[in-house]
Amino acid sequence: MLNHQPGHGCLLHMFPMLWLAVWLAGMQVRPAPRPDAGSARASIEGVVVRAGAAAAAAPERLADSRVELKPGNLTVFTNALGAFTLRNLPPGTYTISFTREGFIPQEDHGRGITISGLSVTLAAGQTLKDIVLPMIPAPVIAGKVFDPRGEPLAAALVRAYLRQYTPSGTQLKVVKKGMTNDMGEFRLFGLNFGEYFVS
């Protein structure tokens, strides 16, 4: 005659249920990793220099130049030696733009440099070195303003306009303005190349 001990039946049924619960927990779907997770990060190293005939022999390095990477909107400034480093970048294609007061990028279509910057493609873990970004002094409009009697006119407002083409027709847009000094002289700097109207 078999003796039935209380609780043994429940215990026998519990082990299969416990094993099933553990197995189901292991089958839970884990979140998919991000596309760039595990991809080695890349970096870009380079310098911003003053180009042109005057600097052909020994290009001057431009400190405090603003270097921006898009997409990502990562911005750095060059150090005293004109050098910059952009770190911790996922692989992809970027545009490096660079600006500095009184200068504009020197276009070099052979090297892929335009007024908008330089396009580069980074592989995972790549360090892109020896990037040279050339700049040239920005064009300047300088002159003198006289009154109707031929006397130098001080504190006169001088504006430079660029022509714009819009759906409603041609318009003039003010891109630079300044005041004449006590000798009637003015100097509008930091311009891009183009045709301007001055008033």
Side-chain angles (χ1 to χ4, degrees):
M1 184 174 180
L2 293 175
N3 291 327
H4 177 72
Q5 297 181 6
H8 284 190
C10 291
L11 200 56
L12 290 174
H13 289 295
M14 186 182 298
F15 283 120
M17 293 296 292
L18 184 60
W19 178 84
L20 181 61
V22 172
W23 181 76
L24 287 174
M27 291 294 292
Q28 286 182 352
V29 178
R30 292 179 174 83
R34 293 182 306 169
D36 61 343
S39 297
R41 294 292 174 135
S43 61
I44 301 172
E45 300 175 4
V47 293
V48 178
V49 301
R50 175 174 179 165
E60 173 192 352
R61 296 190 172 199
L62 297 176
D64 299 320
S65 301
R66 178 187 175 99
V67 180
E68 187 174 2
L69 192 71
K70 292 182 179 180
N73 296 325
L74 177 62
T75 301
V76 297
F77 289 86
T78 57
N79 61 19
L81 299 177
F84 67 91
T85 302
L86 299 162
R87 295 187 177 91
N88 198 31
L89 306 172
T93 299
Y94 298 92
T95 298
I96 307 172
S97 61
F98 48 107
T99 56
R100 191 177 190 272
E101 184 69 29
F103 289 82
I104 60 172
Q106 182 185 45
E107 295 189 78
D108 185 342
H109 294 284
R111 294 174 52 209
I113 301 175
T114 68
I115 198 71
S116 300
L118 171 67
S119 178
V120 296
T121 300
L122 293 174
Q126 180 182 11
T127 298
L128 195 59
K129 295 185 176 181
D130 303 324
I131 296 293
V132 179
L133 304 176
M135 304 195 82
I136 55 177
V140 172
I141 299 175
K144 201 166 185 177
V145 179
F146 297 92
D147 66 15
R149 299 185 302 275
E151 297 293 327
L153 189 60
L157 179 61
V158 182
R159 298 183 182 92
Y161 299 84
L162 264 181
R163 185 179 320 194
Q164 285 189 329
Y165 297 96
T166 69
S168 57
T170 304
Q171 297 179 352
L172 294 178
K173 177 186 177 182
V174 178
V175 293
K176 206 74 175 180
K177 58 185 177 181
M179 306 289 289
T180 59
N181 61 15
D182 59 329
M183 300 294 293
E185 300 165 336
F186 69 91
R187 188 172 185 271
L188 304 177
F189 60 91
L191 302 169
N192 290 321
F193 291 101
E195 184 180 64
Y196 294 88
F197 297 90
V198 180
S199 69

